[in-house]
């Protein structure tokens, strides 16, 4: 099959690749759409994957083309030829977190697209456990957006909100720092959670447009490229920090209300420093600061992926609106270039494998 293989740091090559045989419990998924994640950039160009060669790509969807050798009739009927979304984390299922079904905190997990072969290829081997069948109304591009959309929902729930219970968000003043893909999706979820008063910061005018169209037209947008943004101390009940650098953490601790909450969402790019008078704000205001990681997927109707699937089906959430570029498979390197150079505005770059280049 054709695949983009990371043969070493910075060496992503498209070449023929022979997949291993399917093991019990595994399916072969023909990839139909694969999103490029912000985390793929450092993974490909700076840190590398856990070993080489590895096929990157963890945000993808496709069709089940084959099942392991002795799959029974029921298994075949349930999965063969089905359109599926893929939860990319493969838990160990023996550690303490796994025993609690909190697979996102598994201490010994495998991961499609970083620790094992992922979706930047024509096919990917995926454990059947990690598949989620798609209803007809949900497109492959939407399904490939499910991973970031579930991550955003997880952050929302860590912040004490739930889209099925809008009373959790009503009357709350919320701040979203950084309106990239996850921040943009958080804004969409917030509108489902009854939040009407929201301020979001970003760098690009189109982020504002997308938020107004797909979240709430009354949400306030601050373009921090154009204005030096300061806010009043003690303003927000709830803050989602999708940046997580020294400055954003300080701003969050300043602008959060006494007794308020901060959800740390973004992956810091370097060490953070915090002055002690800022740290004091955490103490004096008795701020609840919480982390969020990945998303919940447990085959339970209340896990992030199942809730998200329902919202996609009911067309209440529009993650596909954040796709700014759709490129054929052959142009995947161009997608990475766009993200690396940052010369043109992009949000999510989606590789569409159903079209020929
Ligand atoms: Zn990702
Ligand atoms: Zn585990």
């Amino acid at each position: 099959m054709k695949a983009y293989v990371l043969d070493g740091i910075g060496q992503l090559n498209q070449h023929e690749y022979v997949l291993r045989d399917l093991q019990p419990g595994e399916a072969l998924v023909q990839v139909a759409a694969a999103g490029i994640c912000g985390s793929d950039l450092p993974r490909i160009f700076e840190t590398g994957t856990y070993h080489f060669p590895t096929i990157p790509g963890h945000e993808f969807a496709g069709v089940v083309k084959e099942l392991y050798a002795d799959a029974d009739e029921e298994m075949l009927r349930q999965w063969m030829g089905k359109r599926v979304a893929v939860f990319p984390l493969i838990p160990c299922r023996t550690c303490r977190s796994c025993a609690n079904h909190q697979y996102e905190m598994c201490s010994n997990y495998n991961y499609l697209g970083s620790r094992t072969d992922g979706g930047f290829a024509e096919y990917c081997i995926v454990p059947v456990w990690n598949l989620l069948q798609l209803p007809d109304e949900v497109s492959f591009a939407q399904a490939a957006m499910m991973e970031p959309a579930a991550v955003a929902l997880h952050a929302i729930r860590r912040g004490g909100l739930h889209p099925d219970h809008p009373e959790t968000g009503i009357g709350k003043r919320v701040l979203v720092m950084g309106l990239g893909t996850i921040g943009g999706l958080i804004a969409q979820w917030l509108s489902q959670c009854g939040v009407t008063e929201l301020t979001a910061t970003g760098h690009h005018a189109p982020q504002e447009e997308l938020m107004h169209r797909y979240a709430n037209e009354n949400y306030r947008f601050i373009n921090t490229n154009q204005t030096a943004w300061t806010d009043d101390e003690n303003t927000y009940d709830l803050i989602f920090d999708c940046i997580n650098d020294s400055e954003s953490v300080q701003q969050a601790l300043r602008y959060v209300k006494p007794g308020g909450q901060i959800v740390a969402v973004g992956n810091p790019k370097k060490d953070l420093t915090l002055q002690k008078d800022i740290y004091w704000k955490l103490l004096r205001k008795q701020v609840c600061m919480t982390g969020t990681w990945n998303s919940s997927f447990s085959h339970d109707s209340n896990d992030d992926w199942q809730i998200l699937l329902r919202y996609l089906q009911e067309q209440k959430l529009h993650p596909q609106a954040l796709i700014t570029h759709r490129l054929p498979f052959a142009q995947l390197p161009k997608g990475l270039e766009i993200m690396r150079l940052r010369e043109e505005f992009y949000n999510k770059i989606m590789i569409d494998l159903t079209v020929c280049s």
Side-chain angles (χ1 to χ4, degrees), residues 201-265:
T201 66
H203 288 312
H204 308 278
Q207 294 173 326
E208 176 177 22
E209 231 175 273
L210 285 167
M211 177 176 74
H212 285 164
R213 227 167 123 191
Y214 296 99
N216 183 321
E217 58 179 4
N218 296 316
Y219 285 177
R220 181 168 76 125
F221 179 77
I222 314 264
N223 190 331
T224 50
N225 267 355
Q226 290 167 356
T227 30
W229 168 65
T230 53
D231 224 317
D232 296 330
E233 284 226 4
N234 308 340
T235 298
Y236 299 100
D237 299 287
L238 177 59
I239 297 177
F240 293 90
D241 184 354
C242 303
I243 302 169
N244 270 331
D245 59 16
S246 300
E247 196 193 356
S248 73
V249 173
Q250 286 183 32
Q251 285 167 329
L253 285 168
R254 225 180 247 130
Y255 303 151
V256 71
K257 267 185 190 167
Q261 191 176 1
I262 298 169
V263 182
V265 185

Side-chain angles (χ1 to χ4, degrees), residues 91-95 97-98 106-108:
C92 74
R93 300 213 236 169
T94 54
C95 74
S97 298
C98 284
C106 173
S107 47
N108 191 25

Side-chain angles (χ1 to χ4, degrees), residues 269-283:
K269 292 188 178 67
K270 50 186 176 199
D271 292 345
L272 309 186
T273 52
L274 208 55
Q275 288 129 358
K276 75 172 181 310
D277 61 326
I278 296 287
Y279 190 83
W280 262 327
K281 293 185 191 298
L282 173 74
L283 308 181

Side-chain angles (χ1 to χ4, degrees), residues 57-77:
H58 59 269
E59 303 177 359
F60 63 98
V63 177
V64 175
K65 285 288 167 179
E66 214 179 299
L67 281 166
Y68 57 99
D70 48 1
D72 60 30
E73 275 299 313
E74 203 199 318
M75 198 60 134
L76 289 165
R77 207 174 326 112

